[in-house]
Amino acid sequence: MPEQLAFTIEVFLNGLMAGVLYALVALGFVLIYKASGIFNYAQGVMALFAALTLVGIMDGQVPFSHLINAILGTEVHHFGWHVPAFLAIVLTMVVMIVLAYCVQRFVFRYLVGQEPIILFMATIGLAYFLEGVGDLMWGSEIKTLDVGLPQGINIWIDEFTFDATGYGFFIDNLDIVASIVAAILVIGLVMFAQYTKQGRAMRAVADDHQAALSVGVSLNFIWILVWSLAGFVALVAGIMWGAKSGVQFSLSLIALKALPVLMLGGFTSIPGAIVGGLIIGVGEKLFEFLIGAPFLGGATENWFAYMLALVFLVFRPQGLFGEKIIERV
Amino acid sequence: MFYREAGDFNTSYAQDQQTFPIKFDRYRYYLVLFVAVFVIPFMVNDYWVNSLFLPFLIYAIAAIGLNILVGYCGQVSLGTGGFMAVGAYACYKLMTAMPEVSMFIHVLLAGGITAAVGALFGLPSLRIKGFYLAVATLAAQFFLVWLFNRVPWFYNYSASGQISAPERDTFGILITGPNTEAWATYMFCLIFTVGSALVARNLTRGSVGRKWMAIRDMDIAAEIIGVNPLRAKLTAFAVSSFFIGVSGALFFAIYLGAVEVGEAFGITKSFLVLFMIIIGGLGSIFGSFAGAAFLVLLPVLLKIVGVDWLGWPTDIVAHLQLVIVGGLIVIFLIAEPHGLAQLWRVAKEKLRLWPFPH
């Protein structure tokens, strides 16, 4: 097999893996958008916040220690214990549910019936707020997150492909785990939406708020549920990205990467998020490898996804799997 | 009481339709202009100009520009930073290519170039709406920043990849470079700010502005009553980009003097200007000023209170600022979606009748 082709295939595979991670973030967007029509820009910051909280709990950090030290002049930093990974994840999930409740109780309850764009801007405000709170709570330095996920090159694939083709593919173990987790998550979410009572209520709310209310579905409860679910997805995404590249501010920027994924896949479709994620992941890696790096001076990953989505949208404004937008006067 | 309208008779349509139909309002506006032109330049020093007046004036222009697009035409844009970068780099290229031409012309030309780029990126707005468009404008943001970073022609092949403003004057007074005087840069920006406000105000209440607002309120209905949506949206994008380009040029040439594109015109700048118009008030020229003033003053105040008085570390104050800005955005959207401008309007109504509320 020629060297160039092998490289291309490796880039392709790595793109697929990256796409899975984009899709993971995009899933959180889709969940909230479907159930409440809110385009939640804060999803990326929620992932950052979840990862920060997880690291903080695992290390036994005192929340707001920097602020407390600054105000009271004390020197507290750690409780001195270490929480095992599983328990820390559960505790983080509790925090995310509390967050979901607060968001619903203090923000979106007052914004029901506002224009979608107002809701969108509110989530931008929420994103800033949450980022500030997360940094105040746990400190803003780069942290490593280790919940015991396997990392590094997958030896087995490397050796297998080397024997078969004469070129060993570099596939990160973490990416494989992430793909499996994402697949389980998607299946779980679809099952939840299809076969449970809450899932049915969720779909009902997504279809028509008023009608769902009139048959006795509690809007407040469903929205808290959906935000909690989005918090859960954010936590998973935060763990994966955090384990990959450390917990730091740039984590919240993956939300920006998930946006073209959504546009491509359509805002309302869970399969769309997955397919869109894969297309964007593969597309930007291949473009960078084949055209960007040799001809355009590199770093095209920053904008390629947006341009692709933009060009695509001109021909199909609702995205691949999105619902057709019907407008009437 | 405070807003006396008694004896304030308008006897022609022209009088009735002027920007400030109430005499008291009009004279206050003249007073503000008088102070800004004849008092402040003689009092300012470098610190005041660089930390307060220049950013306020420059951001006000950007906010007016974005307000035209978002507040008046209803097309949400997150690409402000990218368009400011176009203005800055256009201004830089013009300054180095034609050193003898006045800075006035350079800044205006930079605005014109940005208008063309903005209209180009506004083209998809005909088919893409709402969130999709908001995200599509991010394409402009990231692509433009990448372009200015990667193509050496834009930064004249300088080794650092930065652009820095050479010394240029207008009417013999130094405007850019390290040897400028505070009042000169202040006056230069003030002229552009006042001009922008005047032009924007009059555009938005003329037929063009009405078309924008019709598109904003309901684009299909607007189309049916004879508004050409392509023209309305593209003019909104072009005019908005013109102002944003002017502000970008001023931001680079007058205020900072040297910029690195990713630092100065990143996505955070887009959000900052968006926040200004949300807090200030969507669809209001006064709101653009109020929002710009608010978000320029807030970090300065927080720094004075947090770092200088209370002695907190700067990073905590920076995070606190994020919390406060984010919280304020949410509070404003819940309590007063029309922003500071609406608060001002309500206050004016109250003052008209004070002390007899009925």
Side-chain angles (χ1 to χ4, degrees):
Chain A
M1 190 187 294
E3 195 87 318
Q4 186 73 16
L5 187 63
F7 269 136
T8 312
I9 293 175
E10 183 182 291
V11 169
F12 181 84
L13 286 176
N14 279 321
L16 273 186
M17 301 292 176
V20 167
L21 288 177
Y22 294 153
L24 213 51
V25 183
L27 261 183
F29 281 101
V30 171
L31 274 177
I32 291 182
Y33 189 79
K34 259 178 91 92
S36 53
I38 296 172
F39 185 90
N40 180 24
Y41 177 79
Q43 185 68 28
V45 182
M46 275 165 72
L48 171 69
F49 184 77
L52 277 174
T53 311
L54 183 61
V55 175
I57 291 177
M58 279 174 72
D59 287 350
Q61 270 189 39
V62 181
F64 298 108
S65 56
H66 294 278
L67 194 62
I68 294 170
N69 292 344
I71 294 174
L72 302 178
T74 48
E75 281 294 329
V76 286
H77 291 292
H78 291 271
F79 287 119
W81 64 60
H82 285 269
V83 183
F86 181 73
L87 187 64
I89 289 175
V90 173
L91 285 175
T92 309
M93 199 48 230
V94 173
V95 173
M96 294 311 281
I97 291 173
V98 171
L99 178 71
Y101 176 78
C102 290
V103 166
Q104 173 59 23
R105 174 73 181 72
F106 295 113
V107 181
F108 288 105
R109 211 176 66 168
Y110 300 103
L111 288 173
V112 173
Q114 290 275 19
E115 278 178 56
I117 215 72
I118 299 285
L119 296 172
F120 172 59
M121 292 185 197
T123 64
I124 298 182
L126 185 69
Y128 268 63
F129 183 80
L130 210 54
E131 192 195 317
V133 170
D135 285 346
L136 278 180
M137 219 164 150
W138 306 111
S140 56
E141 66 276 7
I142 300 175
K143 301 177 180 68
T144 51
L145 175 65
D146 184 17
V147 289
L149 293 174
Q151 275 186 325
I153 181 171
N154 189 313
I155 306 289
W156 187 82
I157 290 183
D158 189 38
E159 282 175 358
F160 181 79
T161 49
F162 188 79
D163 291 340
T165 63
Y167 172 76
F169 284 174
F170 183 96
I171 306 284
D172 200 324
N173 271 326
L174 187 67
D175 289 339
I176 299 175
V177 175
S179 314
I180 297 168
V181 169
I184 295 172
L185 199 64
V186 170
I187 295 169
L189 283 175
V190 170
M191 299 266 277
F192 176 79
Q194 292 291 337
Y195 298 117
T196 62
K197 194 174 154 213
Q198 266 70 35
R200 246 196 328 271
M202 210 170 83
R203 280 187 294 147
V205 171
D207 246 19
D208 190 335
H209 293 175
Q210 299 272 318
L213 260 179
S214 63
V215 293
V217 174
S218 161
L219 269 189
N220 271 331
F221 173 73
I222 292 301
W223 280 343
I224 293 172
L225 178 75
V226 168
W227 277 83
S228 307
L229 273 180
F232 177 65
V233 175
L235 174 60
V236 175
I239 292 174
M240 297 303 165
W241 281 99
K244 201 180 165 94
S245 52
V247 180
Q248 53 176 319
F249 170 69
S250 67
L251 193 67
S252 67
L253 296 179
I254 53 170
L256 293 174
K257 263 297 162 52
L259 295 179
V261 170
L262 281 172
M263 291 166 62
L264 207 61
F267 282 152
T268 49
S269 156
I270 290 179
I274 308 294
V275 175
L278 294 180
I279 293 177
I280 296 277
V282 170
E284 69 175 18
K285 291 276 186 302
L286 276 183
F287 184 79
E288 172 79 22
F289 177 68
L290 295 176
I291 299 169
F295 301 113
L296 296 178
T300 54
E301 284 184 33
N302 287 342
W303 55 265
F304 174 75
Y306 290 96
M307 281 301 187
L308 181 70
L310 186 60
V311 171
F312 181 81
L313 277 191
V314 171
F315 295 104
R316 199 179 154 81
Q318 71 272 29
L320 265 179
F321 295 91
E323 285 159 31
K324 188 113 183 80
I325 306 160
I326 302 168
E327 286 183 274
R328 293 191 187 88
V329 174
Chain B
M1 176 69 187
F2 286 108
Y3 263 85
R4 264 177 201 282
E5 287 168 75
D8 200 354
F9 301 115
N10 293 322
T11 49
S12 69
Y13 282 116
Q15 281 178 356
D16 199 36
Q17 288 175 345
Q18 57 189 326
T19 301
F20 298 102
I22 301 174
K23 216 184 248 168
F24 173 79
D25 233 5
R26 194 158 59 241
Y27 287 134
R28 201 197 51 224
Y29 165 69
Y30 292 146
L31 181 73
V32 170
L33 265 190
F34 180 83
V35 170
V37 175
F38 293 106
V39 179
I40 293 177
F42 298 103
M43 299 174 63
V44 290
N45 55 22
D46 270 340
Y47 173 76
W48 282 93
V49 161
N50 282 327
S51 67
L52 290 180
F53 287 114
L54 282 191
F56 164 64
L57 293 172
I58 292 169
Y59 278 126
I61 301 177
I64 290 171
L66 191 64
N67 222 335
I68 283 175
L69 192 61
V70 182
Y72 284 98
C73 195
Q75 314 292 310
V76 177
S77 164
L78 300 176
T80 320
F83 294 131
M84 280 178 84
V86 175
Y89 276 77
C91 187
Y92 176 67
K93 288 303 285 187
L94 289 168
M95 279 166 84
T96 48
M98 294 180 279
E100 65 284 353
V101 177
S102 163
M103 271 300 287
F104 270 107
I105 296 168
H106 285 327
V107 172
L108 289 178
L109 277 179
I113 291 170
T114 318
V117 176
L120 186 72
F121 277 99
L123 275 177
S125 69
L126 196 62
R127 280 185 66 81
I128 311 174
K129 283 168 189 155
F131 302 133
Y132 287 94
L133 183 66
V135 179
T137 53
L138 279 176
Q141 167 73 43
F142 288 112
F143 179 74
L144 290 169
V145 167
W146 173 85
L147 189 71
F148 295 132
N149 237 337
R150 292 288 156 173
V151 181
W153 180 78
F154 285 112
Y155 50 85
N156 280 1
Y157 305 94
S158 77
S160 61
Q162 281 193 340
I163 54 172
S164 53
E167 285 197 344
R168 293 287 179 269
D169 55 31
T170 187
F171 306 123
I173 303 162
L174 265 188
I175 294 297
T176 63
N179 300 321
T180 52
E181 303 220 24
W183 67 270
T185 54
Y186 166 80
M187 279 306 288
F188 189 71
C189 289
L190 183 72
I191 290 168
F192 277 101
T193 312
V194 173
S196 303
L198 276 177
V199 171
R201 169 72 189 161
N202 286 310
L203 268 180
T204 49
R205 59 182 188 162
S207 76
V208 186
R210 280 169 197 286
K211 282 176 187 162
W212 292 341
M213 287 186 260
I215 291 283
R216 169 192 69 188
D217 291 339
M218 191 164 207
D219 52 351
I220 295 188
E223 200 174 341
I224 290 168
I225 59 168
V227 176
N228 183 345
L230 179 70
R231 275 184 62 180
K233 285 178 182 175
L234 285 190
T235 48
F237 264 98
V239 171
S240 149
S241 304
F242 177 82
F243 288 133
I244 292 173
V246 165
S247 86
L250 295 176
F251 191 74
F252 150 67
I254 315 287
Y255 177 44
L256 289 183
V259 297
E260 198 276 317
V261 61
E263 287 273 317
F265 301 116
I267 180 91
T268 43
K269 190 112 306 168
S270 303
F271 282 127
L272 181 69
V273 181
L274 185 67
F275 287 170
M276 280 174 187
I277 64 171
I278 295 176
I279 290 182
L282 290 167
S284 147
I285 301 297
F286 172 75
S288 311
F289 281 94
F294 187 84
L295 281 186
V296 167
L297 278 178
L298 182 71
V300 178
L301 277 181
L302 274 179
K303 192 189 155 290
I304 290 174
V305 172
V307 180
D308 298 346
W309 288 2
L310 297 172
W312 292 359
T314 36
D315 63 324
I316 287 190
V317 177
H319 298 152
L320 214 56
Q321 189 189 330
L322 284 179
V323 173
I324 291 172
V325 170
L328 275 176
I329 298 286
V330 173
I331 291 170
F332 263 105
L333 285 174
I334 292 172
E336 189 52 88
H338 297 287
L340 291 170
Q342 180 67 16
L343 289 181
W344 176 239
R345 251 172 251 145
V346 171
K348 244 157 76 169
E349 277 303 302
K350 296 263 187 243
L351 285 179
R352 263 183 67 202
L353 300 174
W354 192 85
F356 306 111
H358 297 293

